[in-house]
Amino acid sequence: MKKPAIILSIIIALTAVIVLSCRPSRQHRGITDENQRTHVDSVIFAVFDTRDVPRTLAVIDSLEQTGELSTPRSIFYRTITYNLRGEYRKSLNYYYQLADIDVNTLDDQGDFECYNYSCKDYLRLLCNMKRYDIAIREAYAIDKKLKEAGDDDFARLHDIAEMIGECQLYLGQTDEAAHSFQNALNDIHNMLKIHHAPLDFRECQHTMNAVAMAYIQAGNYALAAPWIDRQDSLFTIASNRSDRDTIYIDEMKADISYSRALLEHAKGATRAAEAAYRTYLSTHVSKTLGSIINSTEYLMLTQRYAEAADNYMQLQRFMQESAFEVDLENIGRYLLPKYRANLFAGRKDSALSVASQIAEAYDSALTRQKHSDAMLLATVYDTEGKERQMAEQKAELIQLELIVTAIVMLLVIIFLAVYAYRRRKANIELRETNRQLIRQIDEMTTMTDIK
């Protein structure tokens, strides 16, 4: 269920910017709450609501050229716009610019939040692209950058901690992943102690579901089950609140029931799986085009190939409406399953047609993939290069400080040595003078006695 998850992330990000001035946020050192949502934000939100992407981008360009739109806000709004259309590779080109932003210069809370949410969306995109090694490296780099600027929360935020755990899990770091997931749960508990809006429950449930799905995909069903149970508890609380949002409640119900269907099927509990899947089908969100396409995973697992092939008949419209590029990710995510569904359903002509589509798209998709990988690696190496340069500069400063300290200490030692030498010489001269005086006094006393 990738598409609904992506849309949810966009809604959460936009809503977060809208409510910046309406709720307390984790404060970043030196940032005030003034002017969080500006007239510029209102203008962009107004045009964004029209879903007119060219116009939205034109407004962003215009505001950026006049200097009314800051770089963090520009990156945020551009990537949100492209992500809504599924043009993720265009978003990547702007996410790369996050590495050049000096967080210490962000003295506006809105700019900081836009930077923060753009970083989150960047990491989520890397996870969706299965670039787990790069995603976890970028997460730690961003966390380090924010900590140096005085913000200690980034890696412990429930969605960030979940993504780090997801990367660790797929990279075989099971214990580390469990620790990260626990950090996510801790932040969820802390967050819900303060914030109780319908979106807060939906956002926290979304993170819990991501953990459950990660464990299901990894084949660790025993660890997935508690996370689905936690979602059930959260769903009950959210459903019983007087301010409940029926849309969010429906989305939560769909997520939980679909995950449970996958889990029960994996455990061999066929009846429980079917019951959960029927619950999923009772939700409104299951009727959306994206959900129809993405829920074919369960149909394929249960060998209901004809139903899956029927669903995939809407794939072309889904990809067109979502502006999906036919890249390697989408070939693997959509076209190959469509091919298998038709093949196993006995629809050989349809399977052959999909195979031809895959063959035609493969070369250009591979070229785009190589370009994307090169850009990702260039960004990582550039970031590492900057960090290495900063480390070398810091080492040079430390070395210079040591040299200066050594010179000062040497000068002090020389001064003390000279001082001690002169004092010793003065003492010797004083003692010699005293001896001469005593001798003279003795001589005078002797002469007096003789007389």
Side-chain angles (χ1 to χ4, degrees), residues 342-359:
N342 281 281
L343 181 65
F344 296 151
R347 304 176 185 179
K348 296 183 179 180
D349 289 342
S350 296
L352 182 60
S353 175
V354 178
S356 298
Q357 184 181 358
I358 293 172

Side-chain angles (χ1 to χ4, degrees), residues 2-13 83-84 88 251:
K2 297 291 184 182
K3 186 65 175 179
I6 293 168
I7 293 176
L8 172 65
S9 299
I10 293 171
I11 294 172
I12 289 172
N83 289 345
L84 192 64
Y88 304 117
E251 291 173 348

Side-chain angles (χ1 to χ4, degrees), residues 398-415:
I398 293 174
Q399 187 177 15
L400 181 60
E401 289 176 359
L402 290 174
I403 293 173
V404 171
T405 301
I407 292 173
V408 170
M409 290 181 65
L410 180 61
L411 292 174
V412 169
I413 292 172
I414 292 173
F415 170 78

Side-chain angles (χ1 to χ4, degrees), residues 187-254:
D187 190 69
I188 286 173
H189 289 157
N190 293 333
M191 176 180 173
L192 293 178
K193 288 178 183 176
I194 303 172
H195 305 301
H196 314 290
L199 180 60
D200 296 316
F201 286 98
R202 173 63 173 129
E203 185 178 354
C204 291
Q205 177 270 322
H206 180 64
T207 296
M208 290 180 176
N209 194 63
V211 176
M213 289 296 290
Y215 275 132
I216 290 173
Q217 297 299 331
N220 199 329
Y221 309 125
L223 292 179
W227 286 93
I228 295 180
D229 293 338
R230 292 184 181 109
Q231 291 180 73
D232 275 334
S233 300
L234 196 63
F235 175 76
T236 301
I237 295 172
S239 300
N240 291 332
R241 290 183 62 87
S242 59
D243 62 347
R244 62 185 176 277
D245 185 299
T246 56
I247 294 177
Y248 291 146
I249 294 299
D250 184 75
E251 291 173 348
M252 292 171 73
K253 182 179 178 180

